[in-house]
Amino acid sequence: MGTISDAKDIAEAVVYLTEARHVTGEVLHVDGGAHVGKW
Amino acid sequence: MAGKRTAIVTGASQGIGAAVVQAFLDRGYNVVATSRGISKANFAPSPHLALVDGDIGQAATADNVAQTAIGKFGSINHVVNNAGIFAAKSFTDYSIDEFRRFVSTNLEGFIFITQLAVKQMLSQGTGGSVTSITTSFVDHPNAGVPASIPMITKGGLDAVTRSLAIEYAKNNIRFNAVAPGQSRHSSPQEQSEGVSKDPFADGYDLRREGYR
């Protein structure tokens, strides 16, 4: 956390959303927390 | 079931797209991977992987991708809209031609393939999912990475994701987005062309460009 993400980190989120049966309309941030503040 | 689902991945030759292709293959999906030069990418041949070269901003490419998925694997169950282009500069420095390129790849590249996939999912009656790569800079811009014009397109993806999530909820077709911040993995070819790949969609490392 507090570091730049790897492509694999993003891919895991994509796989999660692909398989999450009841999740829709969601924007999932994968940025080590950068969207809530500056690190 | 797991071995028979088919996923389409755009912008798949490198970075996040390539990682998504590999993750799906590892989990037993059939994958149709596309990008302008996907056949030159370093994917190990697999009976579960089909490659389609082309500009996803062109309807003919999307048609080819959808037909490949249906013809080779028999269905379309998931789409990952990863293809995207990006360039950071001052608002006043963007040209109208650049804006149109962003629209072509980032928005038309979403629309053509997603329309075809949704039609196919509806005819299959089995639901499905569409996952798009946006960026956390849509909601949380950074003065160190000015990107107003590409954000029009990325913000559009966020908006259409919510619209479609409701429109097709009863059909069990889900629409979500992943919003990376900066990620690792540069794109030398795009850098040399002066139009960097979306750092959030493709893993362009902004630190190398002095943004941090």
Side-chain angles (χ1 to χ4, degrees):
Chain A
M1 301 296 278
T3 59
I4 289 179
S5 311
D6 281 318
K8 187 165 185 294
D9 299 320
I10 314 304
E12 287 172 355
V14 170
V15 169
Y16 166 73
L17 290 172
T18 296
E19 299 184 344
R21 299 198 302 144
H22 219 66
V23 178
T24 193
E26 187 66 35
V27 178
L28 179 56
H29 289 82
V30 183
D31 61 4
H35 68 286
V36 293
K38 190 170 175 62
W39 36 252
Chain B
M1 178 70 187
K4 298 197 172 129
R5 292 172 297 178
T6 302
I8 290 167
V9 182
T10 72
S13 59
Q14 59 187 352
I16 291 167
V20 169
V21 169
Q22 194 57 54
F24 279 149
L25 290 173
D26 291 346
R27 298 173 78 88
Y29 288 78
N30 297 314
V31 180
V32 180
T34 182
S35 79
R36 286 181 176 85
I38 192 77
S39 59
K40 298 191 198 94
N42 292 319
F43 288 110
S46 161
H48 300 289
L49 175 64
L51 306 177
V52 177
D53 282 329
D55 174 0
I56 199 63
Q58 300 295 320
T61 302
D63 281 339
N64 194 2
V65 170
Q67 288 308 313
T68 298
I70 296 163
K72 191 170 169 68
F73 300 125
S75 67
I76 299 173
N77 307 100
H78 307 285
V79 178
V80 179
N81 288 300
N82 169 67
I85 55 172
F86 173 90
K89 60 175 76 174
S90 297
F91 172 64
T92 50
D93 289 340
Y94 288 103
S95 71
I96 192 65
D97 286 341
E98 282 178 291
F99 170 67
R100 288 171 181 149
R101 283 199 294 275
F102 295 136
V103 169
S104 176
T105 300
N106 299 355
L107 294 183
E108 294 179 69
F110 169 91
I111 292 168
F112 295 136
I113 190 63
T114 303
Q115 284 182 325
L116 292 169
V118 167
K119 283 181 195 168
Q120 178 64 22
M121 289 173 193
L122 290 172
S123 73
Q124 291 167 186
T126 53
S129 77
V130 176
T131 305
S132 301
I133 307 299
T134 66
T135 161
S136 60
F137 283 5
V138 170
D139 289 332
H140 306 277
N142 182 333
V145 190
S148 54
I149 298 296
M151 288 310 106
I152 294 174
T153 63
K154 290 298 189 180
L157 289 183
D158 276 18
V160 77
T161 292
R162 285 185 285 269
S163 292
L164 293 174
I166 286 301
E167 184 172 343
Y168 291 104
K170 291 281 194 334
N171 304 104
N172 290 317
I173 305 174
R174 299 177 297 102
F175 294 81
N176 295 292
V178 174
Q182 301 163 22
S183 59
R184 198 171 284 121
H185 187 80
S186 60
S187 172
Q189 180 190 344
E190 296 288 338
Q191 288 173 38
S192 67
E193 290 171 357
V195 180
S196 54
K197 275 271 193 174
D198 184 334
F200 324 107
D202 190 71
Y204 188 71
D205 187 348
L206 291 171
R207 291 175 306 177
R208 292 168 50 131
E209 302 302 301
Y211 290 118
R212 296 183 64 84

